[in-house]
Amino acid sequence: MKELVKKVGERGQDNLIAGLFPRALTVPVSIAAGAGELARGTVLSRKEDGTCEVMATGGTPAYVLADPVDASGTEAVAAVAYRSGNFNLDAVTVAEGYTLTAAEKDTLRKYDIIFTRVLPE
């Protein structure tokens, strides 16, 4: 019974979601072993074996990570990712030193993942 009243998590405003269309829908994904600690909003690419990793050169973008995950171990880790949605371009992350290309943004648009730059108020 204790677990029914335990606080599971909190989320403050992080500005990841930039708009209501297209709807932000989630799917389960598997993060490749050794990917490290990944923050919410990390753009993921799908590998040939079906696991996902942080978007970098040569990857095919597919998802945006919905919740932080630690994939530092030697086995793949289950996670939740957005398969569609409107995201703040300034709130998503990719591999260090890497920038999403226009072609990769177009690829994500085919999956109903679009980016909008949200200006501060």
Side-chain angles (χ1 to χ4, degrees):
M1 245 356 201
K2 186 184 202 181
E3 297 298 318
L4 293 176
V5 295
K6 179 180 172 189
K7 190 178 261 188
V8 176
E10 276 187 44
R11 174 142 320 134
Q13 185 173 353
D14 63 3
N15 294 323
L16 177 62
I17 305 295
L20 299 177
F21 183 80
R23 286 183 32 203
L25 301 175
T26 59
V27 293
V29 295
S30 182
I31 307 296
E37 292 186 24
L38 306 180
R40 169 177 157 80
T42 300
V43 178
L44 301 173
S45 62
R46 189 177 14 209
K47 297 170 56 174
E48 288 183 19
D49 65 2
T51 61
C52 296
E53 62 187 357
V54 178
M55 183 65 208
T57 304
T60 302
Y63 306 106
V64 175
L65 193 61
D67 292 310
V69 65
D70 184 359
S72 301
T74 58
E75 294 186 19
V77 175
V80 177
Y82 293 107
R83 70 172 177 89
S84 65
N86 185 343
F87 302 98
N88 180 359
L89 186 59
D90 296 322
V92 296
T93 59
V94 292
E96 189 174 332
Y98 186 73
T99 303
L100 283 173
T101 65
E104 291 163 343
K105 290 175 189 173
D106 283 342
T107 298
L108 286 167
R109 194 173 294 119
K110 293 175 190 173
Y111 299 120
D112 277 343
I113 293 176
I114 64 170
F115 297 104
T116 304
R117 187 156 265 132
V118 177
L119 300 174
E121 293 181 19

